[in-house]
Amino acid sequence: MDDSLRAVVARKAIDVTGIVQGVGFRPFVYRLAQQCRLTGFIANTPAGVTIEVQGEPDHLDRFLQRLPAEIPPLARITALLPRDAETQSESAFRIVASHLDAPPKALISPDVAVCDDCLREMRDPRDRRFRYPFINCTNCGPRFTIIRDIPYDRARTSMASFKMCPACQAEYDDPANRRFHAQPNACWDCGPQLRFLSADGSLHDVAEPLREAARLLENHGILAVKGLGGFHLACNARSDSAVATLRERKRRVEKPFAIMLRRIEDLDRFCQADDSARQLLLSIERPIVLLPRKPDSGLAESIAPRNRFLGVFLPYTPLHHLLFSSGKFDALVMTSANLSEEPIALDNDEAARRLQGIADAYLVHNRDILRRCDDSVIRLAAGRTQILRRSRGFVPVPVPLERESQPILAVGGELKNTICIVRGSEAFLSQHIGDLENLESYNFFEEAVQHLQYILEVQPKIIAYDLHPDYFSTKWALDRQAGDIRLIGVQHHHAHVASCMAENHLDGKVIGFALDGTGYGTDQAVWGGEVLVADYHDFERAAHFEYIALPGGAAAIHEPWRVALSYLLKHYVKDLDILDLPFLRSIDDRRRQVIQQMIDRQIHSPRTSSCGRLFDAVAALTGIRSTVNYEAQAAIELEMAAYESTDEGAYPLELIPDGTRWQIGTYPLFQAILGDLRQQKPVSDISRRFHAGLATTFVDLAQKIREQTQLNRVCLSGGCFHNILLFRLLLDGLRAQSFEVYFHSEVPAGDGGISLGQAMIAAHRCELR
Ligand SMILES: [Zn+2]
Ligand SMILES: [Zn+2]
Ligand SMILES: [Zn+2]
């Protein structure tokens, strides 16, 4: 060729970091380079991938434009840095072997839903994977839950024991194939297989385990199904008897169950949903989405008693799709296979042991689950998604931070525990671990700490923990006290506020509303209705609910009537009898005396400013609920009652100056509630006025604090913001007064989010020295 006709050639080297391994990134770059007529190579590096491309400048530009715009569905780029490089003599684009010498820092992908291409093949009778329950490709399937070690390749996953057949191996080796380096690649000939086990865990040898499982579900049975991150218990959601049996056997009296729908087209039958809800349900994370339920949907009554929301999700593994393929049912209850508040069951033996007497049969397989991971739970509010439980599909995707910090481990709280590791400018929250008070969860906690440190390749020397001396996570942290380990105790509500600040990338001081059930205060009282002026270093308590006695401590959490009585005793002392309340008549004299004595003599009656307990008290007083079967049940049912009302009133509360802060006084609130009860006002109106009264008072308070501090940013955090009515009323009220309001979206507002706040506070406190 004449040299004058040959175009100028340039070369670029590009380092890409993020989730770019095990997600089809290299074949994608390979195809893109070919389409742009470039030579060069791509290789995995410890931090991600490195690409070198060479060709005409126009073609290089096109490549650099298309690269970030067209990445595969599971890939996420955190940084992409092109620089000029020396041209080479080469004739093709190649995928070269990984460099494994340096410590890996690449991110691991979460588990994601089966893709449409795989589903199409699974449903095609001519395809070699027709009805294969473990079909996957680089764009879909298990990741986080099958990883034993890093870097991510088959030998370091629970697929290591399955040797690929020649057909699968050929796909795996072909850069142009959708299964190029798809580590869990498998088929009928070489991959995992299903088994059907009887109630006692013994193998029930049937030709088609799936058909047997579907038949059991049709016949109102309860099936344990091995999934991605653990076992589910499944039953037909339209069968009253099956759902009732499941509740009885699982000892889960009333806590709502989520249901899996056969297909998105059926959604309208069960729920009110708009396009954003649909998109969320269909997203690759396939979370459980809370949506307003429709009456008369034909679902079993006991799925979500007295709750206007329904948790729904769609099939996310090929196995789920196949279970529904009999067409005999359109909705299944799918609930973590555990007794209440224990972690999700993991392996076949453990499941058979723990689910004895609960499941009628088991649909299992021989691919090990190495990491537990529950389903994530999301809702839509104020135009944003709000994660209530962050697990499958989201873990281990990091939350980006504003600044770099040294490695930190934050061990979270006691209930709904998660842990968090900060590495560089990213915060990695663990999956939902659960309530640490039971042994299974505690073991899971230790395992999660180990595993997260391991896959992130950090050994943090700073450990942040909650101040509560009896939390298992706190004790665990304090046991690590040795040598160069630095321990940093963080107040619970400060952590809530810092968590909200972190995900909204705020710095400096804010007004923080931290409203929840329980958190250990610096004065050793049980805090929970707190307004803080806070930054990442420290906080001042600007306001809180006035203290009341919590007779029986934790027992009062299960028995809201105790809290209601405590409020009445505080406000009416000896005049209780002239109140003539149905609530008081429901408590026998002896119990009343016991509670009164506990409070008078300060026996096992800690002081509390809890907002959650105030909800409990109002729920008990109005006859909604005097004891609960699951956490926050009274508050949830009180909220549900408010939706039946259009009343526009708001109960008064008082702001009592107390030195430099305020106490939120509840006497006028109780006066007003008792007045309405005497007039036999509907409970729904009382609940509505209570919610509106709280919101109005909090807005007043925020204005008073703004006058003092000139702060205009307000953060909303704490489990009470799972109450969507309180959240909306307060958000609207604050915005009407021109506050900038920040709330949770990526991490839970409840205690599942505090590990992030702990980590942020520890990071800033360490920076000072
Ligand atoms: Zn796929
Ligand atoms: Zn195969
Ligand atoms: Zn909390």
Side-chain angles (χ1 to χ4, degrees):
M1 195 191 290
D2 183 349
D3 266 0
S4 63
L5 291 176
R6 191 172 286 168
V8 184
V9 165
R11 189 175 183 92
K12 294 270 182 198
I14 309 150
D15 289 325
V16 186
T17 58
I19 301 177
V20 288
Q21 292 185 10
V23 293
F25 198 78
R26 287 176 300 164
F28 152 72
V29 171
Y30 175 87
R31 286 191 293 271
L32 187 61
Q34 291 197 317
Q35 285 164 19
C36 297
R37 285 186 275 157
L38 302 174
T39 62
F41 70 89
I42 178 168
N44 278 350
T45 62
V49 296
T50 187
I51 304 168
E52 290 197 14
V53 275
Q54 177 169 316
E56 295 174 26
D58 282 6
H59 297 171
L60 281 173
D61 286 350
R62 198 172 323 136
F63 177 85
L64 285 170
Q65 251 167 28
R66 287 180 59 184
L67 180 66
E70 297 177 18
I71 57 169
L74 302 193
R76 276 167 224 239
I77 292 179
T78 50
L80 191 154
L81 305 164
R83 56 182 195 277
D84 293 329
E86 289 278 308
T87 57
Q88 315 267 323
S89 106
E90 62 192 1
S91 57
F93 190 89
R94 295 171 305 129
I95 297 179
V96 301
S98 305
H99 312 292
L100 293 182
D101 34 5
K105 287 274 189 303
L107 303 181
I108 290 169
S109 162
D111 299 307
V112 292
V114 56
C115 74
D116 288 344
D117 290 331
C118 285
L119 280 181
R120 219 170 353 257
E121 290 169 355
M122 187 187 79
R123 289 172 178 148
D124 179 358
R126 292 156 307 173
D127 194 277
R128 68 190 191 90
R129 292 189 181 86
F130 178 54
R131 290 182 67 81
Y132 182 57
F134 305 96
I135 187 169
N136 67 83
C137 70
T138 45
N139 300 325
C140 73
R143 296 286 188 283
F144 177 66
T145 54
I146 61 166
I147 287 174
R148 196 184 306 278
D149 200 353
I150 47 169
Y152 175 63
D153 66 30
R154 191 173 177 109
R156 297 176 185 85
T157 69
S158 60
M159 288 300 291
S161 54
F162 301 95
K163 186 172 164 31
M164 271 184 278
C165 68
C168 286
Q169 186 71 49
E171 295 166 333
Y172 184 91
D173 293 333
D174 174 7
N177 195 287
R178 201 173 89 245
R179 297 195 167 88
F180 175 68
H181 283 203
Q183 307 304 347
N185 190 25
C187 73
W188 283 112
D189 291 337
C190 65
Q193 307 290 335
L194 287 179
R195 299 271 181 278
F196 190 77
L197 311 182
S198 314
D200 62 3
S202 64
L203 179 67
H204 186 53
D205 209 358
V206 291
E208 292 182 78
L210 255 167
R211 196 145 296 173
E212 208 63 35
R215 199 169 299 144
L216 179 76
L217 293 170
E218 282 159 32
N219 294 323
H220 313 278
I222 292 166
L223 179 73
V225 190
K226 189 171 180 178
L228 273 182
F231 275 74
H232 280 110
L233 285 165
C235 72
N236 187 341
R238 291 183 181 275
S239 165
D240 284 311
S241 68
V243 179
T245 306
L246 178 59
R247 284 210 177 276
E248 196 187 302
R249 292 189 191 165
K250 211 182 166 210
R251 286 184 260 148
R252 178 156 155 159
V253 189
E254 291 186 307
K255 192 174 177 187
F257 284 132
I259 63 165
M260 182 179 277
L261 304 181
R262 180 176 49 175
R263 37 184 210 157
I264 188 83
E265 290 81 0
D266 295 339
L267 181 63
D268 287 335
R269 266 193 247 162
F270 300 102
C271 297
Q272 290 160 19
D274 57 11
D275 277 349
S276 41
R278 266 167 229 283
Q279 273 171 28
L280 203 50
L281 280 165
L282 287 166
S283 64
I284 54 172
E285 294 89 0
R286 287 287 198 287
I288 294 172
V289 182
L290 297 184
L291 294 170
R293 67 196 282 188
K294 281 188 177 166
D296 310 322
S297 61
L299 289 177
E301 271 306 306
S302 60
I303 281 187
R306 291 178 295 284
N307 200 311
R308 73 191 291 268
F309 295 98
L310 188 64
V312 293
F313 58 150
L314 291 170
Y316 54 84
T317 66
L319 179 58
H320 294 150
H321 287 277
L322 290 166
L323 253 188
F324 277 106
S325 66
S326 72
K328 299 266 178 59
F329 37 83
D330 58 357
L332 290 174
V333 166
M334 276 280 199
T335 180
S336 293
N338 53 6
L339 292 177
S340 292
E341 308 314 325
E342 286 182 2
I344 191 164
L346 202 61
D347 68 36
N348 298 353
D349 291 344
E350 185 197 351
R353 178 172 52 78
R354 278 173 54 188
L355 302 178
Q356 187 106 131
I358 301 181
D360 293 314
Y362 301 79
L363 184 63
V364 302
H365 56 74
N366 52 346
R367 183 180 72 202
D368 289 342
I369 300 168
L370 299 180
R371 303 298 144 210
R372 288 171 214 273
C373 209
D374 280 272
D375 296 312
S376 295
V377 183
I378 298 197
R379 73 172 182 202
L380 288 151
R384 277 165 75 182
T385 57
Q386 294 185 334
I387 298 195
L388 306 181
R389 183 167 75 200
R390 188 178 186 276
S391 274
R392 177 183 50 76
F394 297 93
V395 174
V397 178
V399 176
L401 303 175
E402 279 298 277
R403 287 195 260 167
E404 294 233 346
S405 104
Q406 37 189 329
I408 291 167
L409 165 66
V411 295
E414 177 85 341
L415 301 179
K416 302 186 164 50
N417 178 277
T418 65
I419 61 154
C420 174
I421 289 182
V422 173
R423 186 183 73 180
S425 59
E426 292 174 322
F428 296 83
L429 279 91
S430 71
Q431 65 272 50
H432 168 79
I433 291 170
D435 297 352
L436 296 188
E437 55 209 357
N438 67 67
L439 182 67
E440 305 266 5
S441 305
Y442 185 71
N443 292 338
F444 180 18
F445 164 84
E446 292 203 302
E447 187 185 298
V449 170
Q450 283 307 320
H451 181 243
L452 204 52
Q453 292 189 140
Y454 196 62
I455 60 170
L456 295 173
E457 294 235 302
V458 287
Q459 277 288 340
K461 296 271 187 271
I462 301 165
I463 302 178
Y465 62 93
D466 191 277
L467 293 179
H468 200 306
D470 296 332
Y471 279 6
F472 283 100
S473 54
T474 302
K475 290 179 183 166
W476 183 92
L478 295 177
D479 282 347
R480 300 280 141 343
Q481 187 133 39
D484 54 349
I485 299 283
R486 192 153 163 220
L487 294 168
I488 295 181
V490 177
Q491 201 280 323
H492 187 97
H493 303 93
H494 187 203
H496 271 302
V497 175
S499 171
C500 183
M501 291 173 66
E503 72 157 292
N504 287 291
H505 304 289
L506 304 182
D507 209 343
K509 279 197 162 104
V510 302
I511 300 170
F513 280 82
L515 307 178
D516 65 2
T518 302
Y520 193 78
T522 50
D523 59 358
Q524 283 151 43
V526 179
W527 291 10
E530 311 305 313
V531 189
L532 310 180
V533 169
D535 59 18
Y536 290 123
H537 292 285
D538 215 341
F539 71 94
E540 276 168 53
R541 205 177 181 199
H544 63 87
F545 280 100
E546 63 186 349
Y547 285 136
I548 57 145
L550 195 57
I557 296 172
H558 303 292
E559 300 183 355
W561 67 267
R562 291 176 185 241
V563 192
L565 186 57
S566 179
Y567 267 109
L568 293 181
L569 286 166
K570 178 182 173 76
H571 292 314
Y572 301 98
V573 202
K574 304 227 160 27
D575 300 334
L576 281 196
D577 290 317
I578 55 168
L579 293 176
D580 190 33
L581 282 170
F583 164 74
L584 285 171
R585 289 198 296 274
S586 73
I587 304 168
D588 68 54
D589 283 348
R590 220 189 63 78
R591 288 215 286 181
R592 199 167 117 186
Q593 275 162 15
V594 171
I595 298 294
Q596 194 151 7
Q597 282 172 8
M598 286 175 81
I599 295 174
D600 287 347
R601 299 183 193 162
Q602 299 178 16
I603 303 165
H604 201 42
S605 296
R607 295 166 305 152
T608 187
S609 55
S610 167
C611 186
R613 297 294 85 78
L614 179 60
F615 271 85
D616 285 354
V618 175
L621 206 52
T622 51
I624 284 183
R625 189 152 276 284
S626 58
T627 60
V628 299
N629 294 310
Y630 61 90
E631 203 207 346
Q633 184 181 13
I636 290 169
E637 292 184 3
L638 183 65
E639 177 194 353
M640 296 305 141
Y643 295 116
E644 311 295 320
S645 165
T646 51
D647 189 277
E648 290 185 353
Y651 289 139
L653 288 104
E654 56 186 333
L655 297 179
I656 309 161
D658 172 17
T660 55
R661 64 173 76 124
W662 279 276
Q663 291 202 29
I664 307 167
T666 54
Y667 178 70
L669 168 72
F670 280 86
Q671 278 290 83
I673 293 177
L674 296 190
D676 279 351
L677 281 172
R678 258 192 299 274
Q679 291 182 38
Q680 299 188 328
K681 279 253 167 21
V683 170
S684 55
D685 289 350
I686 295 177
S687 174
R688 186 96 200 175
R689 291 178 178 188
F690 168 62
H691 280 82
L694 285 182
T696 311
T697 305
F698 291 145
V699 174
D700 277 357
L701 200 45
Q703 286 175 289
K704 288 199 155 55
I705 297 169
R706 178 166 62 185
E707 279 165 27
Q708 281 183 341
T709 61
Q710 266 68 59
L711 296 173
N712 197 44
R713 299 181 302 179
V714 178
C715 284
L716 307 181
S717 189
C720 290
F721 289 108
H722 288 185
N723 178 322
I724 206 159
L725 180 61
L726 178 68
F727 169 71
R728 282 201 185 132
L729 289 172
L730 185 51
L731 180 67
D732 293 347
L734 289 168
R735 283 182 174 165
Q737 298 302 325
S738 309
F739 282 99
E740 289 169 50
V741 191
Y742 299 90
F743 50 90
H744 287 278
S745 173
E746 280 186 75
V747 302
D751 285 2
I754 65 170
S755 58
L756 173 62
Q758 292 172 342
M760 292 303 289
I761 292 164
H764 283 73
R765 287 195 185 153
C766 288
E767 212 173 61
L768 273 184
R769 317 218 156 173

